[in-house]
Amino acid sequence: MTFPFILFAVFFLYLINSMTNTMCLEKEIPEDRQPYVFRTINVLITILLISTYIEILYVY
């Protein structure tokens, strides 16, 4: 169960980062603010993935 979830998480983080990059380009976010946008989104998605993994691990 762990290995498929890790593969899913890596793919999901890559997909979210590519969408974040597209959003930064479309909204014309300045270069100096982009690292903060990426960091915030990545931290929130990582928290979501960890909580989902823990829920799957202990509930099912």
Side-chain angles (χ1 to χ4, degrees):
M1 184 65 187
T2 302
F3 185 69
F5 191 83
I6 291 174
L7 285 176
F8 167 75
V10 169
F11 173 73
F12 192 68
L13 279 171
Y14 174 77
L15 184 66
I16 293 295
N17 279 326
S18 66
M19 290 191 304
T20 303
N21 187 37
T22 304
M23 179 195 70
C24 286
L25 292 175
E26 285 184 9
K27 298 293 182 183
E28 298 176 358
I29 297 175
E31 290 285 329
D32 59 333
R33 297 206 31 104
Q34 286 184 14
Y36 300 114
V37 172
F38 275 94
R39 186 176 305 125
T40 302
I41 291 175
N42 282 335
V43 165
L44 293 173
I45 294 298
T46 303
I47 291 169
L48 175 71
L49 287 170
I50 290 171
S51 65
T52 303
Y53 179 72
I54 290 172
E55 182 178 349
I56 289 172
L57 191 65
Y58 289 113
V59 172
Y60 295 107

